[in-house]
Each structure stands twice: as C-alpha cells, then as structure tokens.
Amino acid sequence: MEYRLNGYTILIVDDDLDILESIELAIRAEGAKTLMANNGTDAVKENKIAKPDAIILDMMLPKRSGFLVIEEIMKSKKTPVIVMLTANQGKRHMAYAKSLGVSEYFYKPIGLDRLIDRISNLLSERIK
C-alpha cells in the first residue's frame, strides 16, 4: 500500500479537539509525522521548532488568529504549504488568506480524503 503523505511532517492546528484528533488520525494513517497545536501561539512555536512541510490551520483560534499565524510563518526562510480550514463563509477572508500565501482554503466540514488528496498534491507540486 502506498501512503500519500509518507515522509512529510504536518502540523495540524485547531481549537476543536474532535476535529484536531480526527484530522491527525487520518494524516498519520497516510504515513505523515504529525504535530498538533490548539492555539495560534503554540502553532507559531511548533512551526519554528519542527519546520513542518505543511500546516492545516483553522482560521479562528485562541491566543492568535490563523491570519496572524500565517503572517508570522511567512517570515520564515522555508515556508510550509498552508491549508486553511474555516467555518466562516466570508469571501473577504478567503481573499485575504490567499494574499498572505495560503495554498488552499476549505470550508468546514471537509471530507478527510479530499483534504489529504489536496495536501498530497500541493506537496508533490512543491518538489517539482
């Protein structure tokens, strides 16, 4: 069996423990090393320490919003693929996220298979 995310490190950031754990389980099942954070401040710290290949990031987070997390991460020399997840349907937020460098923007709920497919594609495109 081929794992779609084998060899990658992925940081998952969400303040909803159920969402965090279900995404983490699905990502790990695809061969990735996973890291988790439940607020924006911890997400920035984890990114600095672990330098993940990709981040799955909730927009509305305690301590530091997803947007502030992205702004901080984009200061890094090596920036990860960032996939933002949100329940907020505002088009302005999507446009702003894309302007900050987000690779993909999904509305919750999202099927885990679709999320993993997109992350896998984004990571393989980056290698080319």
Side-chain angles (χ1 to χ4, degrees):
M1 179 173 174
E2 187 176 322
Y3 297 105
R4 293 179 280 182
L5 300 173
N6 205 27
Y8 291 113
T9 300
I10 300 178
L11 172 60
I12 306 153
V13 187
D14 203 301
D15 58 328
D16 182 319
L17 193 58
D18 291 336
I19 292 171
L20 192 66
E21 289 177 347
S22 63
I23 293 174
E24 194 269 342
L25 198 65
I27 297 287
R28 207 166 13 108
E30 286 295 337
K33 177 184 176 195
T34 57
L35 306 160
M36 295 189 287
N38 64 4
N39 66 66
T41 300
D42 288 350
V44 170
K45 285 180 196 168
E46 280 291 339
N47 180 66
K48 280 183 180 159
I49 294 166
K51 299 184 181 14
D53 301 294
I55 299 176
I56 299 169
L57 181 66
D58 186 20
M59 183 172 69
M60 302 297 288
L61 293 166
K63 297 188 181 178
R64 192 181 294 195
S65 77
F67 293 129
L68 293 175
V69 171
I70 296 165
E71 287 172 6
E72 192 63 34
I73 287 170
M74 288 305 175
K75 295 175 186 173
S76 307
K77 284 185 174 76
K78 177 189 176 255
T79 57
V81 165
I82 300 175
V83 174
M84 185 165 253
L85 301 179
T86 184
N88 186 313
Q89 299 286 325
K91 296 284 184 226
R92 270 188 350 211
H93 293 292
M94 181 191 293
Y96 185 57
K98 296 270 187 176
S99 77
L100 291 175
V102 167
S103 303
E104 189 63 76
Y105 189 96
F106 287 119
Y107 297 115
K108 291 178 183 178
I110 174 142
L112 293 173
D113 208 48
R114 181 174 175 218
L115 177 64
I116 290 167
D117 271 346
R118 188 64 186 124
I119 291 168
S120 175
N121 290 339
L122 287 165
L123 288 167
S124 61
E125 287 168 13
R126 183 167 271 202
I127 292 171
K128 292 177 185 171

